[in-house]
Amino acid sequence: MRYRTLGNTGLQVSEIGFGTIPILSGNVPVLPDYYSPDLPEAVDIMMHAFKMGCNFYDTAIPEEYGDAEYKLGVFAEKVGRERIIISDKARFADGNDIFREVLRSAETLGTNPDIYFVHQVDEKNQDETFSRYGALDALCDLKKAGVIRYTGIATHYYSVAARAAADSRVDVIQTSGNILERGIMDRIAENDLFRGKGLILNKVYAAGCLLSVFQPSELIGGILHYPFSCALIGIGTKEQADAAMQTEFQPQTFSFAEVTSRLAEHFQPIPCTRCQHCTCPRGYEVHILLRQYNYYHLGKHYWAMKKLRLNIAEVFEQCRRCTERPCMHGCPQNLRIPELIGMIYEMTR
Ligand code: SF4
Ligand code: SF4
């Protein structure tokens, strides 16, 4: 295992981190297929990863990750608290709410988390999160009080990550990307604003989807040249830990065309990088709809269809009437977005 410095925190983190979603038990709708190991088994899996050099473990409050937070706390005590770095998160934009959740997390873990993220910050809740007395201010107060060591923002949106990068209160930014959905990673790599921030990457396997076409060595090797310190991989079995951590993968550079042509051996992918340059005045998140199409064809049939059916008929109708089509103007892939929306709508009927 190699280690990297986590921005200005100075923490030395393993290049591959342990994402705890797959070790949760309970009826938590994070993903439709998780493994549900019991406590001893979950602790054993985390220990297995630790023995391969993993020192970064990421979790979230029970409403989001079930009992994973508790299991991680048991593991931390067993392995020796000071030997691992714990990052935790909660989805609250209000300062009072997140203050309460951090204290509750410390109680559930049985120890203070090192890094605490405001989770799922998006374009709707970001103003409250970053406002005076919002969640970020509360994390700063908790940092001053010594309850946490570092503050974080976790987001799937480049605009939010860039706002966090420009904010001196933020120590660590967690965002998502993989060799297919590389748009945010590319934009972060090009923007000096992010230098000095701790950067953590999740969704390296695209919620497991990309494993149907690519090897872990390719998915991990393909993101190692990006300026992230730690790539979180969801681990639910020892075999999965082995696949991600046993070998020190070499960085590989896949062009986007290479990735889409590999996918094209199985289905015709929509070549969207999720760069999020497409803005729709109606607020439709084009990149999410295009992603669901690809995920559907990569095996997430039920999950993708369920999400698409929430609003695809409405988006399709509005796109048909949209004459200016501003979403297309900024798309570096020159995608004909309304036509793609029409194709996806037909798929869902
Ligand atoms: S549709 Fe185009 S602009 Fe929008 S996320 Fe995909 S590649 Fe980027
Ligand atoms: S075509 Fe118009 S309504 Fe449809 S996503 Fe683009 S900007 Fe929005």
Side-chain angles (χ1 to χ4, degrees), residues 34-294:
Y34 47 84
Y35 303 90
S36 254
D38 62 16
L39 177 63
E41 200 183 346
V43 170
D44 208 28
I45 297 165
M46 286 186 270
M47 189 64 82
H48 187 70
F50 176 77
K51 286 178 181 162
M52 287 187 284
C54 176
N55 74 352
F56 193 94
Y57 292 76
D58 179 76
T59 193
I61 57 171
E63 287 76 3
E64 300 183 48
Y65 286 14
D67 62 359
E69 191 182 51
Y70 171 70
K71 285 169 168 164
L72 176 53
V74 173
F75 165 67
E77 191 180 358
K78 183 165 181 189
V79 73
R81 174 65 185 90
E82 72 292 348
R83 300 172 82 184
I84 61 167
I85 295 156
I86 295 178
S87 74
D88 206 335
K89 44 194 165 356
R91 194 184 302 192
F92 289 98
D94 174 71
N96 284 317
D97 288 340
I98 205 148
F99 194 93
R100 180 194 66 230
E101 291 305 316
V102 173
L103 298 181
R104 193 169 70 123
S105 288
E107 206 171 307
T108 308
L109 285 164
T111 182
N112 288 348
D114 296 295
I115 305 166
Y116 211 94
F117 291 96
V118 190
H119 197 197
Q120 303 273 14
V121 185
D122 60 24
E123 287 165 350
K124 294 190 189 80
N125 62 23
Q126 61 169 321
D127 284 343
E128 187 179 3
T129 300
F130 285 89
S131 69
R132 191 157 165 75
Y133 306 125
L136 186 54
D137 263 359
L139 291 185
C140 288
D141 284 343
L142 288 156
K143 179 177 160 183
K144 267 189 221 135
V147 179
I148 60 172
R149 295 170 69 194
Y150 302 106
T151 63
I153 293 290
T155 181
H156 297 303
Y157 293 84
Y158 175 77
S159 58
V160 176
R163 185 170 181 174
D167 194 313
S168 61
R169 295 171 295 173
V170 179
D171 297 315
V172 186
I173 299 166
Q174 184 176 151
T175 189
S176 50
N178 50 62
I179 57 173
L180 174 65
E181 300 164 295
R182 57 177 65 189
I184 295 181
M185 300 192 298
D186 284 336
R187 293 179 76 178
I188 286 177
E190 286 161 7
N191 188 342
D192 285 343
L193 206 55
F194 286 88
R195 307 295 88 82
K197 295 294 182 190
L199 298 174
I200 306 286
L201 187 68
N202 60 38
K203 300 283 186 293
V204 174
Y205 291 171
C209 288
L210 289 173
L211 287 171
S212 59
V213 178
F214 295 92
Q215 296 299 318
S217 58
E218 296 173 307
L219 296 173
I220 294 172
I223 54 89
L224 285 177
H225 63 281
Y226 283 99
F228 289 83
S229 298
C230 178
L232 290 173
I233 307 289
I235 305 282
T237 64
K238 285 186 183 176
E239 291 69 29
Q240 289 175 342
D242 288 343
M245 298 175 186
Q246 208 166 38
T247 310
E248 278 183 9
F249 298 124
Q250 291 310 310
Q252 302 181 51
T253 312
F254 289 100
S255 70
F256 189 64
E258 277 176 90
V259 172
T260 51
S261 75
R262 281 275 292 279
L263 293 173
E265 292 167 18
H266 305 267
F267 73 104
Q268 199 52 53
I270 295 175
C272 167
T273 64
R274 283 199 85 192
C275 66
Q276 303 177 0
H277 279 299
C278 44
T279 44
C280 168
R282 295 185 175 274
Y284 297 138
E285 297 188 305
V286 172
H287 57 100
I288 294 181
L289 297 167
L290 305 190
R291 173 182 71 163
Q292 304 304 0
Y293 175 89
N294 287 338

Side-chain angles (χ1 to χ4, degrees), residues 279-284 286 315 318-328 337-338 341:
T279 44
C280 168
R282 295 185 175 274
Y284 297 138
V286 172
V315 182
Q318 292 302 328
C319 290
R320 279 206 313 157
R321 296 182 199 173
C322 181
T323 49
E324 296 270 314
R325 301 178 164 185
C327 59
M328 286 174 56
I337 291 168
I341 296 292

